[in-house]
Amino acid sequence: MKQLTRAFIVIAALSLVLYIAIDRLNSSQGYSGGNTLTIYNWGDYIDPELVDKFEEETGIKVIYQTFDSNEAMLTKIQQGGTTFDIAVPSEYAISKMKDEKLVIPLDHSKLPNLKNIDQRFMDLSFDPGNKYSIPYFWGTVGIVYNPELLGGKEITSWDDLWNPDMKNKILLADGAREVMGMGLNSLGYSLNDTEEAHLQEAKAKLNRLTPNVKAIVGDEIKMLLANEEAAAGVVWSGDASEIMAENENLDYVVPEEGSNLWFDNMVIPKTAANPEAAHQFINFMLDPETAAQNAEYVGYSTPNKEALAILPEEISGDERFYPDAETTEKLEVYDNLGKKMLAHYNELFLEFKMHRK
Ligand code: SPD
């Protein structure tokens, strides 16, 4: 009898160890379920306090993973084998995910806080009726620069970056659409242009920027610019606001030739293990206090009108990050150019990166 009890204890202990090991492995791979919620978001894109608050309020355990480009996020979800409950793609990636049936329709009855979103961010062409996606943050692409490192010079246009004075002084965000868009916009073309001659012209112009480019980097661009290791950087607006909060010598401009207006929305991927908790999380993030705290922490522009109303005036009234109608008119949203053309943009961007080596 004693032997039987001992054997039982050993088996129970081994099962417990195995259970914990599998749970840890699953969490690290993005497999969830049960009372967990797996979030797949851009790096530096949430106030971690809010994740803790959500866990405390709901008893749901959050597993949090990050990506640094729409392309990386798409590849991971397309490959399958993950159970992300929430992802935060940009507009053209949402349109692609819808086409490829990678997202599930949302139940708006579970999102009462949706009423807090400003109507101008709802029902946009990439997701009519917000059937699959809910606004999270929005912004522009522009140039953050340090006039002190440029002899007091102001930057107003993309073309300023090609000035020989800028030799080895520029950092670029590591994004195919952003960099190709800059090349196209600087030539007066649309950042959704698909004419081969225009794309080649943009790449040739980007190649001529090479001597001025110090590095093409991910999230570390913020630290490098704040530490004055470069005089200018092509960045998303919210990153600029974060950098400028660190170093007040810096300024941000949306170039006069035009640039990109983008929207990052929350979606529930098709392979979600816990869509119920995903709806709870989306609704939590739509709460005005929560959205305002998040916007203040990450520095990006909120689409939540009730949150905007409680943000300090120095944030909500800053036209560099909440641009007026005149600037907005010059901005374009990325179209989903289709699989082949998006691959071509990536290819051209890679060739430009290789040209630097
Ligand atoms: N560090 C968070 C960056 C999020 C930026 N999303 C912008 C996407 C533009 N297509």
Side-chain angles (χ1 to χ4, degrees):
M1 189 62 186
K2 257 189 186 163
Q3 263 177 339
L4 205 63
T5 312
R6 208 173 296 138
F8 177 75
I9 291 171
V10 170
I11 289 169
L14 282 176
S15 309
L16 184 67
V17 169
L18 196 65
Y19 173 81
I20 293 171
I22 290 174
D23 187 54
R24 292 231 168 119
L25 184 70
N26 282 346
S27 303
S28 69
Q29 301 285 314
Y31 303 115
S32 55
N35 208 24
T36 59
L37 175 79
T38 309
I39 299 174
Y40 197 32
N41 198 356
W42 295 82
D44 298 343
Y45 217 27
I46 198 165
D47 179 348
E49 261 187 23
L50 292 171
V51 175
D52 295 345
K53 190 171 173 211
F54 177 77
E55 287 187 321
E56 275 159 30
E57 277 182 9
T58 60
I60 295 168
K61 178 177 178 294
V62 172
I63 298 163
Y64 200 86
Q65 291 192 33
T66 60
F67 57 84
D68 57 12
S69 71
N70 281 301
E71 289 63 35
M73 179 273 312
L74 274 169
T75 306
K76 188 131 185 193
I77 291 185
Q78 280 160 340
Q79 278 167 349
T82 54
T83 51
F84 297 122
D85 297 301
I86 295 276
V88 190
S90 308
E91 65 302 301
Y92 74 98
I94 293 169
S95 156
K96 202 162 181 314
M97 290 175 94
K98 277 169 47 188
D99 289 354
E100 296 181 20
K101 308 213 177 326
L102 292 172
V103 282
I104 63 167
L106 303 172
D107 182 347
H108 285 204
S109 72
K110 295 182 176 155
L111 306 172
N113 285 335
L114 190 52
K115 63 176 187 304
N116 299 325
I117 296 290
D118 189 327
Q119 280 309 308
R120 70 193 175 104
F121 298 103
M122 297 289 290
D123 200 23
L124 298 179
S125 61
F126 58 89
D127 185 21
N130 292 83
K131 201 169 162 200
Y132 296 93
S133 76
I134 301 296
Y136 184 65
F137 280 122
W138 66 279
T140 56
V141 171
I143 304 169
V144 65
Y145 67 101
N146 189 330
E148 286 199 359
L149 298 183
L150 294 171
K153 218 185 118 215
E154 262 190 46
I155 287 190
T156 55
S157 82
W158 288 122
D159 262 343
D160 288 334
L161 298 180
W162 271 262
N163 190 317
D165 291 352
M166 299 293 280
K167 188 152 187 228
N168 207 29
K169 288 187 176 161
I170 301 170
L171 299 174
L172 300 180
D174 192 4
R177 294 293 306 253
E178 284 71 19
V179 174
M180 283 300 293
M182 165 177 81
L184 287 162
N185 273 168
S186 75
L187 289 161
Y189 299 137
S190 158
L191 44 70
N192 291 309
D193 206 315
T194 55
E195 283 252 347
E196 187 54 21
H198 295 170
L199 295 176
Q200 291 301 337
E201 207 184 323
K203 197 191 79 179
K205 181 154 185 194
L206 287 173
N207 286 348
R208 293 198 295 279
L209 184 66
T210 297
N212 293 358
V213 178
K214 186 166 180 163
I216 301 178
V217 277
D219 275 334
E220 60 275 34
I221 200 165
K222 291 182 280 186
M223 184 263 296
L224 293 170
L225 286 159
N227 290 346
E228 308 202 337
E229 307 227 10
V234 174
V235 294
W236 294 303
S237 47
D239 283 1
S241 108
E242 207 183 319
I243 298 163
M244 287 155 60
E246 292 280 314
N247 183 335
E248 53 188 31
N249 292 334
L250 293 151
D251 204 352
Y252 176 73
V253 65
V254 175
E256 60 201 13
E257 299 96 323
S259 186
N260 169 232
L261 171 68
W262 54 263
F263 306 97
D264 286 344
N265 283 15
M266 295 175 275
V267 299
I268 305 186
K270 191 182 167 199
T271 51
N274 202 345
E276 188 54 44
H279 280 89
Q280 270 178 271
F281 180 78
I282 294 174
N283 197 50
F284 172 81
M285 293 311 296
L286 292 172
D287 169 75
E289 298 282 343
T290 307
Q293 181 177 332
N294 205 25
E296 204 160 354
Y297 181 89
V298 300
Y300 276 85
S301 311
T302 181
N304 189 311
K305 60 178 189 313
E306 301 304 327
L308 194 62
I310 53 178
L311 278 171
E313 163 69 19
E314 69 196 75
I315 297 181
S316 58
D318 190 335
E319 290 197 347
R320 291 168 300 185
F321 305 112
Y322 291 91
D324 61 10
E326 194 191 330
T327 308
T328 312
E329 243 170 58
K330 291 187 297 193
L331 302 174
E332 268 182 297
V333 178
Y334 295 135
D335 289 341
N336 173 13
L337 301 175
K339 203 172 174 164
K340 241 173 106 182
M341 190 48 68
L342 286 176
H344 190 39
Y345 265 62
N346 285 337
E347 221 170 66
L348 293 168
F349 176 54
L350 258 180
E351 282 170 25
F352 160 63
K353 284 204 215 178
M354 296 306 290
H355 182 81
R356 301 183 57 246
K357 301 248 153 94

